[in-house]
Amino acid sequence: MMINKKFFTSESVTEGHPDKVCDKISDAVLDDILAHDPQARVACECCAATGMVMVFGEITTTHTYDIRSIVKKTVEEIGYTDPTMGFSADGIAILNTLNKQSADIAMGVDKSQEAKSGEDSDHEIGAGDQGMMFGYATNETDEYLPAPIYYAQKMAKKLTEVRKCGKFPYLRPDGKTQVTVEYDGDKVKRIDTVVLSTQHTADVSQDQIRDDMIEHVIKPTLDSSLIDDDTKYYINPTGRFVIGGPQGDSGLTGRKIIVDTYGGFAPHGGGAFSGKDPTKVDRSACYMARYISKNIVAAGLSDKCQIQLAYAIGVARPVSVRIDTFGTGKISDEKLSEIVNEHFDLRPSAIINTLDLRRPIYSQTAAYGHFGRNELDLPWERLDMVDTLKQYI
């Protein structure tokens, strides 16, 4: 008998979703620049609509990059190659309005307030902006992610895989997934509802799409022990999804920040990841917070852990560090905060060094989540601090 029945829903989108097209382009630009100039400052954003892409933002680098070729290559790799879709690699207009990073911002990043005062000359980089960043981990899946976002991401990735391998020629790049999980207290009980919408050609029946998606996308990705006779499936619930991608809806970098993180399980400071170099704590501090929280949970110090970091622009040290284990900690949250401050350096330059972030590793994270990606060797997903933390149990 369930004593605390509750539901939680998370969604994901494929790399052909218009917002994800923009995230992919922004991170492709970042990777191209970091491959040649690891010290570059990059804040590259993108918007897309029918027949056009505009790239804008601020970049300071010694590398001569080719925006047109990066955009066309990325759009082609995603799968937009058919001009009849209203958006294709060879048929889009590309507008470039990039500028250099503001000198007012640069002077705070180049030399932190601590370095200017002589307090800390070893870590000169200041935070690239103010704001709060969150990291989260839970032991409810092997990937230390909440089950709803884990399954939604996995299903979206599988949808793209069956499209790109040519198994179903009627599939097109745009798509969305959603999973509702039923909990008994904090324990995953079952999957209640699955939603999958996929762009398709006009000549395929909805019955075929439904059968193919359930058999070849949903069943291979969801845990069969969580599926029962009451699990509901909604496949292309509008009945038609021919017009999609940037032709069907405009796209913008950074508009899928909950998809990128924990599916709504943890708060979000509002800063996006894609297109930003690691001096931007919007990105690097979120990665560090995930790294710490994951190692805490993996070490058995708590069943789930949420960390908030907050920064002031131009200042290296965070203005606050907050840990919440939601009553699952084996030691107090206050003691955990002391442990984190002892073993983890949270200044931007230290984060960059600890996680080796000045590398072209970001395009692969632009779709299907930045966390729990065991198929990728992402430094913030490593569990190399577990043994150190276990000593505190």
Side-chain angles (χ1 to χ4, degrees):
M1 178 179 178
M2 288 190 290
I3 58 174
N4 189 10
K5 179 179 179 180
K6 55 186 178 182
F7 299 86
F8 202 97
T9 301
S10 297
E11 71 158 350
S12 181
V13 297
T14 67
E15 61 198 58
H17 184 280
D19 294 330
K20 277 295 156 199
V21 170
C22 296
D23 285 343
K24 291 281 283 186
I25 291 171
S26 294
D27 274 334
V29 172
L30 173 65
D31 277 358
D32 180 77
I33 292 173
L34 289 181
H36 298 87
D37 180 11
Q39 301 298 320
R41 300 284 168 76
V42 181
C44 178
E45 300 191 52
C46 175
C47 64
T50 303
M52 65 81 65
V53 166
M54 182 169 72
V55 184
F56 55 98
E58 301 79 41
I59 295 178
T60 302
T61 179
T62 59
H63 172 53
T64 302
Y65 51 92
D66 184 348
I67 287 294
R68 179 169 293 276
S69 64
I70 295 171
V71 171
K72 290 184 67 174
K73 181 181 178 183
T74 304
V75 171
E76 183 176 6
E77 288 175 348
I78 291 171
Y80 285 109
T81 56
D82 183 354
T84 64
M85 286 192 279
F87 188 86
S88 65
D90 291 327
I92 50 174
I94 301 171
L95 287 72
N96 177 1
T97 63
L98 289 162
N99 296 300
K100 288 187 177 181
Q101 184 182 59
S102 161
D104 293 345
I105 295 175
M107 68 179 185
V109 179
D110 293 341
K111 199 165 190 177
S112 68
Q113 187 179 92
E114 294 94 326
K116 291 174 184 175
S117 66
E119 176 187 345
D120 187 353
S121 58
D122 293 331
H123 292 271
E124 291 195 341
I125 296 177
D129 201 353
Q130 71 173 45
M132 61 281 194
M133 298 82 201
F134 291 87
Y136 182 80
T138 173
N139 61 8
E140 67 183 63
T141 64
D142 292 340
E143 289 72 18
Y144 297 92
L145 282 181
I149 188 63
Y150 168 68
Y151 288 119
Q153 301 280 30
K154 192 175 178 184
M155 196 161 56
K157 190 168 184 289
K158 186 66 173 179
L159 176 57
T160 295
E161 288 175 0
V162 299
R163 171 179 63 84
K164 286 189 169 182
C165 76
K167 191 176 185 70
F168 302 109
Y170 61 81
L171 291 177
R172 293 293 179 262
D174 198 357
K176 304 181 77 170
T177 61
Q178 185 172 286
V179 177
T180 301
V181 171
E182 181 181 316
Y183 288 82
D184 183 1
D186 287 335
K187 302 299 181 183
V188 174
K189 182 71 174 179
R190 55 184 289 274
I191 292 175
D192 182 76
T193 307
V194 179
V195 183
L196 186 151
S197 296
T198 179
Q199 187 185 10
H200 58 85
T201 59
D203 57 354
V204 62
S205 71
Q206 292 301 312
D207 287 341
Q208 181 180 350
I209 294 173
R210 178 182 173 84
D211 292 344
D212 290 342
M213 295 302 99
I214 291 177
E215 191 64 31
H216 297 280
V217 176
I218 295 174
K219 285 185 177 180
T221 55
L222 301 187
D223 185 343
S224 60
S225 68
L226 301 178
I227 303 294
D228 58 30
D229 292 340
D230 293 324
T231 299
K232 299 176 283 295
Y233 301 95
Y234 295 100
I235 313 299
N236 280 15
T238 67
R240 179 181 170 90
F241 189 1
V242 173
I243 300 172
Q247 183 186 25
D249 191 8
S250 59
L252 184 65
T253 298
R255 203 155 54 182
K256 285 292 176 284
I257 55 177
I258 299 303
V259 171
D260 287 341
T261 52
Y262 308 103
F265 263 81
H268 199 295
F273 298 158
S274 291
K276 296 179 181 177
D277 75 81
T279 66
K280 278 73 173 175
V281 284
D282 281 344
R283 182 167 217 158
S284 55
C286 279
Y287 289 166
M288 191 64 170
R290 162 65 175 178
Y291 172 64
I292 298 170
S293 59
K294 183 177 179 181
N295 275 268
I296 286 173
V297 173
L301 292 173
S302 65
D303 294 336
K304 47 189 174 181
C305 179
Q306 176 183 290
I307 297 177
Q308 184 204 52
L309 306 176
Y311 291 85
I313 188 168
V315 180
R317 295 182 184 278
V319 298
S320 70
V321 179
R322 184 179 189 275
I323 294 178
D324 189 350
T325 58
F326 307 94
T328 69
K330 307 304 183 289
I331 57 179
S332 70
D333 292 347
E334 292 75 17
K335 178 62 177 176
L336 264 179
S337 295
E338 294 175 9
I339 293 169
V340 167
N341 284 316
E342 178 181 351
H343 291 285
F344 299 92
D345 193 334
L346 300 174
R347 293 170 291 185
S349 59
I351 292 174
I352 291 169
N353 292 335
T354 299
L355 301 180
D356 193 13
L357 296 179
R358 293 192 186 274
R359 298 180 291 141
I361 59 174
Y362 300 106
S363 292
Q364 61 189 342
T365 68
Y368 317 114
H370 292 245
F371 308 122
R373 302 289 299 278
N374 288 351
E375 77 276 15
L376 307 176
D377 184 22
L378 300 174
W380 52 88
E381 290 296 309
R382 294 173 186 167
L383 295 172
D384 51 4
M385 290 296 291
V386 167
D387 290 341
T388 299
L389 295 173
K390 276 184 177 179
Q391 65 181 303
Y392 294 98
I393 297 180

